[in-house]
Amino acid sequence: MAGCFITFEGGEGAGKSTQIERLKARLGQLGQSVLVTREPGGSPHAEEIRAFILGGHAKHLGPLAEALLFAAARIDHLDKTIGPALRGGTHVLCDRFADSTRAYQGSLGNIDKGLIDRLETVTLRGAKPDLTFILDLPAETGLSRARARQAGKGEGADRFEEEDISFHQSLRQAYLSIARAEPKRFVVINADQEPDEVEAAIWAALRERLPQVTDQAARPPDAA
């Protein structure tokens, strides 16, 4: 049985990493094989590209160049990490994927949708998430959380976190627009609440949208 591919999207400070780890733990307790990964990154070459992009070194090249770099990282990520895991029956939980390119470089970078579509076709080669959660909250709240996290770790803002508030407000609307265009794949979760409440909403949606994951998880380990 092939694994399911579940992605998490949303603005800065939405709590994606927290909820991914919670879902991994919950599925793991029920006997599931789960891999957590991220974009950009998730494979050695993709991590090198991640450092280059988030360090701001590609910003002066423009949104199209950034989109191409993300695509190059994504190809390696799919080949080296995501594809093998799914084929081996492991569920993959990914912090960001191709929808981030649609939101950041497509909608906010004003790259033509047709070009983004063609780039996605070449990059993904038919691969697509089974389910995508968008963790939605006001941009101001998300940025406040992100900055508190950075301060706690002694880190500075990355390439995208340093953008102004209007950028992040537009990003939120871009994600909601993407979700409306493909309601069968997307679930929008209110992330402006306590982590336990967010976790419960994610689990309820997973049970509804991908019962093969939760039903499989509910069976005893020795069930046929």
Side-chain angles (χ1 to χ4, degrees), residues 33-123:
S33 175
V34 181
L35 172 70
V36 169
T37 188
R38 67 179 184 177
E39 287 214 346
S43 63
H45 292 313
E47 287 292 333
E48 293 175 3
I49 296 173
R50 175 189 178 89
F52 183 78
I53 296 172
L54 296 189
H57 304 299
K59 183 176 181 179
H60 71 283
L61 300 174
L64 179 56
E66 284 188 328
L68 292 172
L69 286 168
F70 278 119
R74 189 163 294 130
I75 289 170
D76 193 64
H77 190 198
L78 282 165
D79 287 346
K80 304 293 177 57
T81 304
I82 296 173
L86 293 174
R87 290 191 293 272
T90 294
H91 301 310
V92 175
L93 309 181
C94 190
D95 186 341
R96 300 197 182 282
F97 193 60
D99 296 302
S100 282
T101 300
R102 287 188 171 275
Y104 281 82
Q105 285 74 45
S107 295
L108 274 66
N110 294 315
I111 298 177
D112 179 73
K113 182 180 181 299
L115 179 55
I116 290 289
D117 288 343
R118 292 191 293 274
L119 181 61
E120 194 171 283
T121 297
V122 172
T123 303

Side-chain angles (χ1 to χ4, degrees), residues 12 137-145 165 167-170 172:
E12 310 302 330
L137 79 170
E140 296 83 354
T141 304
L143 282 178
S144 177
R145 290 181 182 178
I165 188 63
F167 175 95
H168 294 282
Q169 290 168 337
S170 296
R172 181 188 187 189

Side-chain angles (χ1 to χ4, degrees), residues 124-143:
L124 302 188
R125 293 159 291 169
K128 198 170 189 179
D130 296 292
L131 182 64
T132 298
F133 290 108
I134 292 182
L135 303 190
D136 176 61
L137 79 170
E140 296 83 354
T141 304
L143 282 178

Side-chain angles (χ1 to χ4, degrees), residues 188-205:
V188 178
I189 300 290
N190 175 17
D192 193 14
Q193 52 185 338
E194 292 301 315
D196 287 351
E197 296 175 292
V198 177
E199 179 185 352
I202 289 172
W203 185 253

Side-chain angles (χ1 to χ4, degrees), residues 8 16-37 90-93 199 202-203 206:
F8 287 71
K16 299 184 305 302
S17 298
T18 297
Q19 294 303 326
I20 287 171
E21 288 300 327
R22 285 181 175 224
L23 182 56
K24 176 188 177 183
R26 193 162 186 171
L27 292 173
Q29 289 169 357
L30 296 170
Q32 294 288 351
S33 175
V34 181
L35 172 70
V36 169
T37 188
T90 294
H91 301 310
V92 175
L93 309 181
E199 179 185 352
I202 289 172
W203 185 253
L206 184 63

